[in-house]
Amino acid sequence: MKFIKFFHLDFRRGMHTVWRLYLCGTVLFALLCLDFWNRSRIFLELYPGTSRSLGDLALYIFGGMKKFIPTPGAVFPFPTVWLLVMALACFSSLWYPLEDLYGFGKTLLTACQSRKRWYLAKAMWCGVTVSLYFALGWVVLLLGCLAMGGKFTWTISPYMMELMEITDVASTVEEWRLTLQLTLLPWLVAVTLSQLQLCLSLWMQPVLGWVVSIVVLLSSAYYASPFLLGNYAMALRDQQVLSDGVIWQVGVLYCMGLLLPCVLAGLISFQHTDILGKEGKS
Amino acid sequence: MSIIFENVTKTIRGKTVLQGVTLSLETGRVTGLRGINGSGKTMLLRLLAGLIHPSEGKITIDGKTLGKDMEFPPSMGLLIENPAFLGQYTGAENLEMLASLHQNVAKEDVRTLLEKVGLAADGDTKYRKYSLGMKQRLGIAGAILGKPELLLLDEPTNALDTKGVELLREIIGEERQRGAAVVVACHDAAFLESVSDEIYCLENGQLTDHLILREKGGSKP
């Protein structure tokens, strides 16, 4: 009961700190919809009879990038769209937990009498915050699809592979698998990274935790490796698109396998963390 | 409630901020902590509040070791550093939020507390519109919310005007009467002497003196 009360307080207070980021997220998703609409115009003229779909739009935003093969002279195509979306998702949950600890949260912590409760409430808050960011993103995507007269299907139009610069597809793209790739995996990877950030922020400045997330995402874009978490958040790196791509089930297990130890490590570490003033934090 | 510091040392990043502190605190007594900036007063309060852990030695509360048998003192009111409330909520809402975690605090108690600290008329004003003195008064109200058995006040006279200081003196007296163990860390020597039953002097993290101003029962030594 006390945990629910405590989480409720966190939710109320935390939302006051992230609403501006949610606003930025809304603008970002709206701009990306507009960008997609603009880019797809040319292809629609080249492919008469085709139209835009929700799947096209989602693939454009959450698809990531094709495998990069570093060869002499090859320029790394920076996955701006995907990276912006993922980076902002990780950023949304970055500041509140630790900032709160040096403010009103310290009073609440002593009142609730439990460090475990405090950390679990913050971990839950991070998960909820990232989830709401994605929920908001999907609302904008749905509205964007509606505004551009797109079909509400997951079918990928033929022009999309050209738009995403994919020259060959490994196998037939299964809609259900693509739906999972575009909805579940980016969210799960972002939630996992938010837990990693929370845990790291007990030892270093929160912004450095975010830098770690960015490094994970960028290195995932550069190396198509199953060991780099970000690969699972890119539908274009899935085995059905890329013959030596990643397997989504492994991605789910990878996230779970990282998320739980992160929460546990944070919980244990917070038991021994000295709560100093703002001037004294590491 | 009996609180005992046994040879407590605290080292932070290689720097010893408290060294070999041994003292005891009792209910119904006001203990003052005197010392210049950096002498270790706030660190001692943080240790007692359970916010930081001793590097050596132990703190026991009624025989139970803090940080081992309990995470925080079971009934504690705390005003440490600056009062930190939420600017977007009113003073009353901030206290209500805090009260929701206490089982023994009713909504009406929040109004009574606001009156007690002289904020009855400003209870519905947003905290961000409060002056520094008003913020400090709300911090004091937050600390005494729920009638804690242990009350820790760090520089409670900060930003208070003469009337506010007088009010604080009364509140500390009432808390002592109620039976709370009160610990006050303060620069203001005159104020500290006027409210304390005993004073511990700190210098470079070490206790240098222990003055008893009033014996148990209120008589002067």
Side-chain angles (χ1 to χ4, degrees):
Chain A
M1 188 62 193
K2 246 190 174 179
F3 176 76
I4 294 168
K5 260 187 195 173
F6 202 63
F7 174 69
H8 177 241
L9 287 178
D10 262 329
F11 186 75
R12 267 178 74 184
R13 288 176 301 134
M15 282 304 128
H16 272 280
T17 66
V18 290
W19 70 268
R20 284 182 195 88
L21 281 167
Y22 281 161
L23 201 66
C24 289
T26 308
V27 173
L28 174 68
F29 278 104
L31 286 175
L32 293 178
C33 285
L34 206 65
D35 184 39
F36 169 74
W37 174 79
N38 187 39
R39 280 169 182 248
S40 58
R41 264 192 321 168
I42 310 148
F43 290 98
L44 286 179
E45 282 168 19
L46 291 171
Y47 291 83
T50 53
S51 58
R52 299 177 182 94
S53 72
L54 182 64
D56 295 340
L57 179 56
L59 187 68
Y60 180 70
I61 291 172
F62 297 114
M65 63 175 277
K66 62 177 184 176
K67 183 180 178 178
F68 175 66
I69 302 161
T71 49
V75 180
F76 177 63
F78 202 77
T80 318
V81 172
W82 176 80
L83 193 68
L84 270 175
V85 168
M86 295 299 286
L88 193 60
C90 295
F91 194 77
S92 65
S93 66
L94 190 66
W95 297 105
Y96 167 69
L98 266 287
E99 282 297 316
D100 180 62
L101 186 58
Y102 302 111
F104 191 48
K106 186 165 56 188
T107 315
L108 291 182
L109 170 67
T110 54
C112 93
Q113 297 271 304
S114 167
R115 284 178 182 244
K116 270 193 199 111
R117 206 175 288 146
W118 185 94
Y119 191 84
L120 283 176
K122 292 293 182 282
M124 198 160 145
W125 181 87
C126 286
V128 169
T129 302
V130 173
S131 306
L132 284 176
Y133 167 85
F134 277 95
L136 196 70
W138 279 103
V139 169
V140 177
L141 254 64
L142 287 168
L143 290 174
C145 184
L146 190 74
M148 61 182 86
K151 288 180 191 165
F152 285 92
T153 64
W154 291 99
T155 312
I156 302 298
S157 309
Y159 68 87
M160 274 311 286
M161 290 302 152
E162 261 185 74
L163 200 153
M164 304 298 279
E165 294 171 12
I166 302 293
T167 47
D168 54 338
V169 176
S171 60
T172 315
V173 175
E174 290 173 272
E175 272 187 34
W176 69 270
R177 197 160 145 181
L178 187 77
T179 312
L180 266 179
Q181 272 289 332
L182 296 173
T183 53
L184 179 74
L185 269 300
W187 164 75
L188 200 55
V189 167
V191 169
T192 306
L193 288 175
S194 75
Q195 297 303 323
L196 178 69
Q197 287 176 174
L198 179 63
C199 179
L200 289 176
S201 64
L202 296 176
W203 298 300
M204 53 174 87
Q205 291 282 346
V207 74
L208 293 176
W210 187 62
V211 170
V212 169
S213 293
I214 300 296
V215 168
V216 168
L217 293 170
L218 261 178
S219 53
S220 303
Y222 195 85
Y223 299 107
S225 159
F227 297 105
L228 292 166
L229 189 66
N231 279 289
Y232 299 98
M234 289 188 269
L236 294 180
R237 295 280 172 91
D238 185 73
Q239 235 177 20
Q240 66 176 340
V241 178
L242 193 68
S243 54
D244 58 345
V246 294
I247 304 163
W248 71 270
Q249 291 97 326
V250 176
V252 174
L253 289 174
Y254 192 170
C255 286
M256 291 300 168
L258 192 63
L259 198 142
L260 295 176
C262 277
V263 174
L264 211 64
L267 258 180
I268 294 167
S269 173
F270 190 58
Q271 292 294 313
H272 308 285
T273 301
D274 279 342
I275 303 163
L276 299 164
K278 261 191 178 178
E279 78 288 350
K281 68 178 173 180
S282 53
Chain B
M1 184 183 266
S2 155
I3 300 162
I4 298 165
F5 276 65
E6 282 178 54
N7 208 20
V8 172
T9 295
K10 179 67 189 173
T11 308
I12 296 174
R13 283 178 227 116
K15 192 187 172 201
T16 304
V17 290
L18 275 180
Q19 195 167 16
V21 172
T22 299
L23 57 85
S24 61
L25 308 167
E26 285 170 56
T27 46
R29 300 272 291 168
V30 180
T31 306
L33 298 176
R34 186 194 284 169
I36 57 164
N37 285 345
S39 58
K41 302 190 297 292
T42 306
M43 281 299 161
L44 198 146
L45 289 184
R46 281 197 187 120
L47 278 163
L48 185 49
L51 294 172
I52 61 176
H53 306 292
S55 308
E56 283 169 43
K58 63 176 180 175
I59 302 163
T60 55
I61 298 174
D62 293 334
K64 288 180 181 170
T65 306
L66 188 61
K68 195 177 165 194
D69 303 320
M70 62 172 90
E71 288 186 54
F72 298 98
S75 169
M76 174 177 66
L78 180 67
L79 173 65
I80 200 160
E81 297 169 325
N82 301 317
F85 289 100
L86 303 165
Q88 67 271 25
Y89 296 114
T90 66
E93 284 169 341
N94 267 295
L95 287 187
E96 278 164 16
M97 221 182 276
L98 196 55
S100 70
L101 290 174
H102 289 268
Q103 283 176 335
N104 57 341
V105 185
K107 222 174 175 178
E108 307 81 69
D109 294 342
V110 166
R111 290 285 158 190
T112 314
L113 267 179
L114 285 168
E115 270 174 46
K116 197 170 189 171
V117 296
L119 288 176
D122 303 293
D124 296 321
T125 306
K126 295 255 191 255
Y127 179 71
R128 62 168 164 257
K129 290 184 180 167
Y130 276 19
S131 67
L132 285 176
M134 286 159 81
K135 285 178 179 174
Q136 189 71 354
R137 283 170 188 242
L138 195 69
I140 294 162
I144 59 173
L145 184 89
K147 299 185 172 75
E149 284 178 54
L150 173 64
L151 179 61
L152 307 180
L153 302 171
D154 186 19
E155 301 294 350
T157 55
N158 273 0
L160 291 182
D161 53 19
T162 326
K163 207 174 160 189
V165 173
E166 199 45 53
L167 202 69
L168 176 66
R169 198 174 277 127
E170 275 173 37
I171 288 171
I172 291 174
E174 282 173 27
E175 292 300 304
R176 178 208 279 124
Q177 285 275 305
R178 190 172 59 75
V182 186
V183 186
V184 186
C186 191
H187 283 113
D188 187 339
F191 174 80
L192 205 57
E193 277 178 29
S194 71
V195 295
S196 304
D197 298 313
E198 57 188 321
I199 293 177
Y200 286 98
C201 301
L202 280 150
E203 210 178 301
N204 296 325
Q206 287 179 300
L207 287 181
T208 53
D209 207 355
H210 179 205
L211 315 168
I212 295 178
L213 307 175
R214 287 179 207 91
E215 294 285 6
K216 268 186 178 179
S219 62
K220 292 206 171 186

